[in-house]
Amino acid sequence: MSTIVDAAPSSQHPMASAAHRAILTLDKRARAELKGQKPVILWMTGLSGAGKSTIANRLEEKLWLCGHHTMLLDGDNLRCGLNKDLTFTDAARVENIRRTAEVAKLMLEAGLIAICALISPFRRERMLARQLVGADEFIEVFVDAPLDLCKRRDPKGLYARALAGQIPNFTGISSPYEPPDTPELHLRTDRHDVDALAGQVLEALRHRGVIAGTP
C-alpha cells in the first residue's frame, strides 16, 4: 500500500551530495532542431473548471496537426501516477508543483513543447517552476473564469462536494487561489470558445518563434 504524503520533503536526501550531473553529447537545442521547433513550457494555471485541460487538449491537437512534438502534463493524470501519494495540503501542493516542473524540464531537454495544465494556486511555486528553466522557455497562461461560473460548470462535481464539506483544502472554497500578476497569456473562457483560445496560444507560439509561422 502506498504512503500518502502530506508535506514536501523537509530535507535533502543524504545521497544527493553524491550525485553529479552527467555531460551529454546531445542537448535540447539539437533535439529541438530535429523536430523543427523551439522547446518551451506552457504552464496553464487557473481554478478547477476554468477550462485548462480542455484548452490544453485542443492546443495539443492543433500542434500535432501542424507536425509538432508535444507532451501534455495534466494535473489530474499526474495525481493518478507520479503524484498519487500527495494530499491537497498547502505543503503537498508545493511538492506537486515541484515534481511537475521537474518533469516538464525533462520534456524541455527532449526538445518538446511541454503543456502543463494544473491549478497550481500559489504564485511563489509558479515562479520557482519558471526559474528552473531559461527566461524565454516558460510561458505562463492564466486560464481565467469567474468562480461562480466554475461552480456552475463543476464538470467533476468537486465544488458541490467541497461546499458540502466533503473535500478539505479545495482551491477557491477553503484554500486560496493566487492569480498571476503578469502572465504571458490571459485567456478568458467566459468570453471565448475553446477553439478561439487555443488559436490565441498557437499564434503566440508563432510570434515567439517557437513554431514556424509569420510573426
Side-chain angles (χ1 to χ4, degrees):
M1 181 179 296
S2 61
T3 301
I4 301 299
V5 177
D6 191 53
S10 59
S11 60
Q12 193 176 48
H13 191 281
M15 285 298 293
S17 60
H20 298 278
R21 186 175 296 277
I23 299 175
L24 306 178
T25 304
L26 294 177
D27 60 11
K28 62 185 171 186
R29 178 179 296 180
R31 299 183 189 105
E33 285 178 353
L34 188 65
K35 298 172 176 64
Q37 61 190 34
K38 290 182 180 179
V40 71
I41 293 173
L42 283 162
W43 194 279
M44 295 190 172
T45 175
L47 291 167
S48 177
K52 300 179 299 298
S53 295
T54 303
I55 296 170
N57 192 56
R58 188 63 55 85
L59 173 63
E60 188 173 41
E61 289 177 349
K62 288 178 177 289
L63 286 166
W64 178 77
L65 288 170
C66 295
H68 292 290
H69 300 252
T70 62
M71 187 63 206
L72 173 50
L73 301 175
D74 183 83
D76 284 345
N77 291 347
L78 289 169
R79 281 190 175 272
C80 291
L82 176 68
N83 295 338
K84 67 181 179 181
D85 60 326
L86 298 176
T87 66
F88 289 89
T89 64
D90 286 357
R93 288 176 185 273
V94 170
E95 176 63 6
N96 183 51
I97 299 307
R98 188 194 70 80
R99 293 184 192 179
T100 303
E102 290 287 359
V103 172
K105 183 180 178 182
L106 290 175
M107 298 299 149
L108 205 69
E109 291 295 328
L112 300 176
I113 297 170
I115 306 168
C116 302
L118 61 169
I119 295 172
S120 43
F122 304 127
R123 294 189 189 98
R124 180 177 180 274
E125 275 59 56
R126 296 195 302 265
M127 178 58 69
L128 290 176
R130 180 189 293 272
Q131 291 172 347
L132 278 176
V133 299
D136 60 343
E137 295 177 325
F138 190 97
I139 300 174
E140 187 175 43
V141 183
F142 180 24
V143 181
D144 188 8
L147 178 59
D148 285 345
L149 177 57
C150 293
K151 289 179 184 177
R152 292 198 301 272
R153 288 173 176 168
D154 203 10
K156 305 166 191 171
L158 299 177
Y159 282 101
R161 292 173 60 196
L163 288 167
Q166 298 172 5
I167 304 178
N169 304 310
F170 190 79
T171 302
I173 303 298
S174 52
S175 184
Y177 177 76
E178 300 172 355
D181 291 323
T182 54
E184 281 77 12
L185 287 170
H186 188 170
L187 306 182
R188 293 291 302 265
T189 64
D190 58 335
R191 298 181 181 178
H192 306 284
D193 64 27
V194 62
D195 279 309
L197 294 169
Q200 286 183 34
V201 182
L202 205 63
E203 186 56 35
L205 293 177
R206 291 193 184 102
H207 183 76
R208 290 168 171 268
V210 173
I211 59 176
T214 304

